[in-house]
Amino acid sequence: MDIIVLIPVLFLSIILHEVAHGYVAYRMGDDTAYLSGRLTLNPVSHVDLIGTLAVPAVCWLFGWPLFGWAKPVPVNPTRLPSPRKDMGKVAFAGPACNLILATLCAALLKLTVVFQAHLGQHTVMALLHILRYGLFVNIFLAVFNLIPIPPLDGGRVLTALLPIRAAMRYDYFVGRYGMWIVFALILTGVVKYFIFPPTFVIANVLAKIFGL
């Protein structure tokens, strides 16, 4: 039942993350994602045969930490007013979207608690379960994607903030091995030291804001 209920929450969070990339690029003048049909909530448009299906299946079969990704949204930097800086904004849009979704889940959790007397017990329990998952999974996605290693969003944000020479060196020395570094961090479990502390800090901040 958890899989039936929670997997759609995870998929929606990932899809909105990708749509946010394309939407921000679209607002800044690049309609590549729009013309590619990627500004949609249709999950089929965001499925990557390797990242969405093959890699998670292999991880599950071998008992490795579950990992995967959606099809990256196409962006043409040359169509942006300031390609390097604007790519940083496009990259940050995904994690920002997840943080907004986490905040929305926290607000809905508060409303569920406030109005629980007007809802059935089973409805309240289901909503609490789904919204808590939505809260944590969106914070998790935001924090993970902000790790400053290309091709993660954090890597693009960092190269947009660095001086041009430093950005080129970073992208050359780290970017060329970025995916392998990310895989190593996940498979060794080291990634949890990057993700768990800020995830719980953000969750606690939202809990205090909404009185949860």
Side-chain angles (χ1 to χ4, degrees):
M1 288 303 296
D2 273 354
I3 293 176
I4 294 172
V5 173
L6 300 182
I7 286 297
V9 177
L10 175 61
F11 268 59
L12 180 62
S13 301
I14 294 173
I15 289 170
L16 287 172
H17 175 107
E18 294 299 328
V19 170
H21 288 312
Y23 179 73
V24 170
Y26 179 74
R27 290 299 301 269
M28 290 193 294
D30 176 27
D31 60 358
T32 306
Y34 173 76
L35 295 176
S36 301
R38 297 299 306 280
L39 300 187
T40 175
L41 296 182
N42 183 356
V44 176
S45 299
H46 301 279
V47 170
D48 182 279
L49 294 178
I50 301 298
T52 312
L53 302 176
V55 171
V58 170
C59 291
W60 181 76
L61 286 172
F62 287 92
W64 297 339
L66 197 60
F67 176 63
W69 59 88
K71 185 191 300 182
V73 168
V75 178
N76 185 352
T78 62
R79 303 194 66 181
L80 301 174
S82 178
R84 192 168 73 90
K85 297 295 184 183
D86 290 342
M87 279 301 294
K89 297 174 184 177
V90 170
F92 184 70
C97 176
N98 290 126
L99 291 175
I100 292 171
L101 290 173
T103 303
L104 178 61
C105 286
L108 292 175
L109 272 170
K110 180 63 176 182
L111 290 175
T112 301
V113 172
V114 170
F115 294 104
Q116 61 181 317
H118 304 281
L119 303 170
Q121 182 179 0
H122 294 295
T123 300
V124 171
M125 296 302 294
L127 286 174
L128 292 177
H129 189 46
I130 293 170
L131 292 171
R132 282 171 184 156
Y133 178 78
L135 172 66
F136 278 100
V137 79
N138 275 286
I139 297 174
F140 179 92
L141 287 171
V143 173
F144 174 76
N145 278 285
L146 283 174
I147 295 175
I149 301 174
L152 297 179
D153 297 326
R156 295 191 181 97
V157 172
L158 180 60
T159 54
L161 296 174
L162 288 172
I164 183 65
R165 288 189 176 181
M168 292 176 64
R169 290 175 181 173
Y170 183 81
D171 196 50
Y172 178 78
F173 289 107
V174 179
R176 63 196 302 191
Y177 303 112
M179 182 58 77
W180 298 109
I181 296 172
V182 172
F183 277 138
L185 291 174
I186 293 171
L187 295 177
T188 60
V190 174
V191 70
K192 65 185 179 184
Y193 298 109
F194 291 89
I195 296 177
F196 288 172
T199 294
F200 286 114
V201 168
I202 296 171
N204 286 331
V205 169
L206 289 176
K208 289 182 178 179
I209 291 174
F210 291 97
L212 298 173

